[in-house]
Amino acid sequence: MKKIDILLGSIKVPLDFLLTVISVMAAYHLRIILAPYTVAIAEGTLPTFFEQLFFSFKAGALLIAIFALGKAYSFKATKKTSKEISKIFLLWIVWVMAIISYYYFIRNFPFSRITIALSWILTLFLAICLRILLKRFEQFLKKSLNIGKTRTLIFGNNKISEELIEILKKDPSYKIIGVIGGKNSNTRIVPIANKSQIKYILNKRRIDEIIITKSLSPEKSEELLFLCDLKHITYKFIPSLSDMRRASLEIDEINGIPIISLKATPLDGWGKIAKRILDISGALFGLTFLSPIMIATAIAIKLESKGPVLFTRLDNGSRVKRVGEKGHLFNFYKFRSMKDKTDTLRYTALANQNIRKEGPLVKIQNDPRITKVGKFIRKTSIDELPQLFSVLVGTMSLVGPRAHLPEEVAKYEDRHRFVLTIKPGVTGLPQVSGRSDLHFEDEIRLDRYYIENWSIWMDIKIIFKTFAVVFKPFKE
């Protein structure tokens, strides 16, 4: 662990306590200043200065305890500011509810309610500002002064290694020291990877972490892990398909005989029920909240071009279908983003313009069939909003694998069909990890990870990330 990471992580504790005290005391004085312009202060509702100060100490200690239990003081340097702020907001709500609950049960609230509300708002504002300032300071140290960067050695010569190198080069938190067995001309290369050479590198080069991007034999993994433990180097690896499957083990017994089984997905039993409840409530909320946008979209489509508002039928008049759970076909709905009756051109006149050379999926760059309105609603994913009705009906889920065409699924290899074990989703892990720019195999790998590691919390995070991806075009 870097000293700078420990410092920036630990300093949050006293600063959070201090900002809580400042917020509570500032709210106390603001209430007095605002008294002529707000509700008059009734006698006995405003505590003395020392009573308020004592309360601020208790509130600060409670905040620290809740933040600590919620793991808000992680030393993880690469944690995104947005994630940290989201966690702070959720824990702040817990803190507020804890204070309300306490005074509700003791039936004694010796403070001005306006004062306490102001202190809550100020505490949240200052806590968020503190995180932003600390993150900016950390980025300044690492980017401008080259202090505190994680010195990383990558072990592997494959496509994942190349993608990882390009990603880490753009991240100021990392410095790539070398690639064992790599081909990247801009990075120090160590082409041979026997034990003595790896040991020499770890001894001579100051390494903070090593990332394994290819499967190693158990013997080699154990040797490398031992060397990393010896040198206090963080050992990370990108799991293969079999590695991920091993993480979903269930142990049972029959008459004393141990039986180990691979659990395909947590989406069985109560998991399936919980996901369905989230789907129904989320779809109802989405349809209610987004109905003005859907109405405006329908009008814009009609005004721009001839044809139906929804894309529901192919050029030959048959219904638009997608492959759903367990391979069953279902009717698929989305706003029409192309000129009417031009769908089949993707397989005929435009087939040679497919930019996705690997995998069964088809994507036409600068597709001439897309209308002006269609370009906008595709970029913002508005064209997919009618799928919320499919979520209500039960043929789709809010989060899940992409709903693919029957002709695409027909080209799947057997190992790809695992993604058909659950309902397709309006959004999913691949969509928030790269949208349509992901390679097909990467998309399948992410979908498999989602299926095997599903949780309600994962669905909620993906939904919120989807909003961030959708609104990204407006920031550019």
Side-chain angles (χ1 to χ4, degrees):
M1 181 68 68
K2 293 280 187 180
K3 290 181 180 179
I4 187 66
D5 294 334
I6 295 174
L7 174 63
L8 293 176
S10 59
I11 201 174
K12 293 174 187 175
V13 177
L15 288 179
D16 278 343
F17 180 83
L18 182 61
L19 66 86
T20 305
V21 172
I22 291 171
S23 297
V24 174
M25 298 310 296
Y28 176 80
H29 290 290
L30 276 173
R31 180 68 182 101
I32 297 172
I33 294 170
L34 296 174
Y37 310 102
T38 58
V39 179
I41 302 173
E43 187 176 351
T45 58
L46 200 64
T48 65
F49 176 84
F50 289 105
E51 285 177 330
Q52 186 77 4
L53 184 62
F54 182 59
F55 171 74
S56 72
F57 288 162
K58 292 193 293 184
L62 179 63
L63 183 86
I64 296 301
I66 290 173
F67 277 22
L69 289 171
K71 299 180 180 180
Y73 297 125
S74 169
F75 294 128
K76 191 176 179 182
T78 54
K79 193 171 186 179
K80 289 184 179 179
T81 310
S82 58
K83 287 185 178 180
E84 194 170 6
I85 290 174
S86 298
K87 177 172 280 191
I88 290 299
F89 179 71
L90 290 173
L91 294 174
W92 173 82
I93 292 175
V94 174
W95 176 66
V96 170
M97 295 306 296
I99 294 174
I100 292 173
S101 300
Y102 172 75
Y103 284 108
Y104 174 80
F105 282 112
I106 67 170
R107 299 288 180 178
N108 180 23
F109 196 76
F111 302 99
S112 162
R113 287 167 175 77
I114 295 178
T115 305
I116 198 74
L118 284 171
S119 67
W120 290 340
I121 295 169
L122 285 172
T123 300
L124 177 63
F125 174 74
L126 291 178
I128 291 174
C129 287
L130 172 64
R131 266 67 188 175
I132 294 172
L133 288 173
L134 287 176
K135 179 56 71 174
R136 295 290 178 269
F137 179 62
E138 178 193 329
Q139 290 173 345
F140 169 74
L141 289 176
K142 292 181 177 181
K143 195 171 184 178
S144 301
L145 302 182
N146 214 27
I147 296 174
K149 286 194 173 188
T150 302
R151 297 167 63 85
T152 304
L153 178 67
I154 295 175
F155 193 113
N157 173 20
N158 50 33
K159 195 172 185 179
I160 295 176
S161 300
E162 295 173 4
E163 291 178 4
L164 187 62
I165 290 167
E166 294 304 316
I167 292 170
L168 296 186
K169 278 182 177 179
K170 298 174 185 177
D171 192 330
S173 298
Y174 287 92
K175 180 174 182 175
I176 301 174
I177 301 303
V179 181
I180 295 178
K183 293 181 179 179
N184 195 297
S185 59
N186 298 321
T187 311
R188 180 180 175 83
I189 305 304
V190 183
I192 306 173
N194 58 47
K195 182 181 176 181
S196 60
Q197 287 181 320
I198 294 172
K199 192 173 182 179
Y200 176 82
I201 294 167
L202 298 184
N203 281 328
K204 295 297 182 181
R205 306 282 293 179
R206 187 161 55 87
I207 308 292
D208 296 312
E209 71 176 24
I210 181 168
I211 302 177
I212 314 298
T213 63
K214 69 174 186 177
S215 296
L216 301 176
S217 65
E219 295 78 14
K220 202 162 191 176
S221 294
E222 191 172 348
E223 287 177 1
L224 197 54
L225 186 56
F226 173 77
L227 287 172
C228 288
D229 287 340
L230 199 62
K231 299 292 180 182
H232 301 287
I233 296 170
T234 303
Y235 180 95
K236 295 181 179 180
F237 68 95
I238 296 175
S240 65
L241 187 58
S242 58
D243 292 328
M244 289 193 293
R245 292 300 299 272
R246 285 192 209 101
S248 303
L249 295 179
E250 284 189 334
I251 302 176
D252 203 350
E253 63 171 319
I254 300 176
N255 292 332
I257 301 173
I259 304 290
I260 298 176
S261 62
L262 288 174
K263 186 178 179 182
T265 173
L267 278 167
D268 284 326
W270 285 107
K272 196 166 190 175
I273 294 171
K275 187 171 177 63
R276 184 63 186 140
I277 292 171
L278 178 65
D279 284 344
I280 293 172
S281 56
L284 286 172
F285 176 80
L287 288 170
T288 303
F289 181 73
L290 299 170
S291 56
I293 296 175
M294 295 175 72
I295 293 170
T297 302
I299 294 171
I301 291 171
K302 268 297 186 184
L303 289 176
E304 186 188 21
S305 61
K306 294 180 180 180
V309 169
L310 296 177
F311 174 58
T312 60
R313 292 193 178 273
L314 300 174
D315 298 354
N316 59 11
S318 61
R319 299 282 306 200
V320 174
K321 300 283 186 179
R322 292 291 187 271
V323 181
E325 187 178 16
K326 298 179 181 177
H328 297 307
L329 297 179
F330 67 95
N331 293 331
F332 186 74
Y333 306 96
K334 65 188 302 185
F335 281 121
R336 180 173 59 84
S337 58
M338 300 188 300
K339 297 170 185 175
D340 193 26
K341 296 183 179 179
T342 59
D343 180 66
T344 54
L345 293 179
R346 68 193 306 193
Y347 300 114
T348 56
L350 299 174
N352 60 343
Q353 296 182 34
N354 181 20
I355 61 173
R356 300 192 73 160
K357 302 303 180 185
E358 53 81 35
L361 307 187
V362 176
K363 182 183 177 183
I364 309 298
Q365 192 171 25
N366 300 321
D367 197 329
R369 301 170 299 164
I370 300 176
T371 62
K372 291 180 181 178
V373 172
K375 186 176 181 181
F376 176 78
I377 64 176
R378 281 194 176 195
K379 194 172 185 180
T380 55
S381 298
I382 292 174
D383 63 323
E384 297 176 3
L385 292 182
Q387 294 168 28
L388 291 173
F389 290 106
S390 298
V391 175
L392 274 182
V393 172
T395 54
M396 292 185 69
S397 179
L398 287 176
V399 182
R402 194 189 301 271
H404 285 155
L405 293 161
E407 54 266 32
E408 293 173 342
V409 175
K411 299 176 184 176
Y412 279 12
E413 296 178 23
D414 289 342
R415 60 192 175 87
H416 298 150
R417 294 181 178 274
F418 182 76
V419 299
L420 303 178
T421 56
I422 66 170
K423 295 174 185 176
V426 178
T427 185
L429 194 56
Q431 287 92 314
V432 298
S433 304
R435 292 177 71 83
S436 59
D437 298 328
L438 282 177
H439 294 292
F440 177 69
E441 291 295 337
D442 293 332
E443 183 177 322
I444 291 292
R445 188 170 66 249
L446 288 171
D447 281 334
R448 179 179 280 276
Y449 176 84
Y450 169 79
I451 294 170
E452 294 177 345
N453 298 274
W454 173 87
S455 68
I456 282 288
W457 180 236
M458 182 185 287
D459 271 7
I460 293 171
K461 287 197 291 185
I462 290 173
I463 290 169
F464 277 103
K465 281 186 177 182
T466 301
F467 284 115
V469 172
V470 167
F471 287 114
K472 188 176 180 181
F474 297 103
K475 299 178 183 178
E476 296 176 347

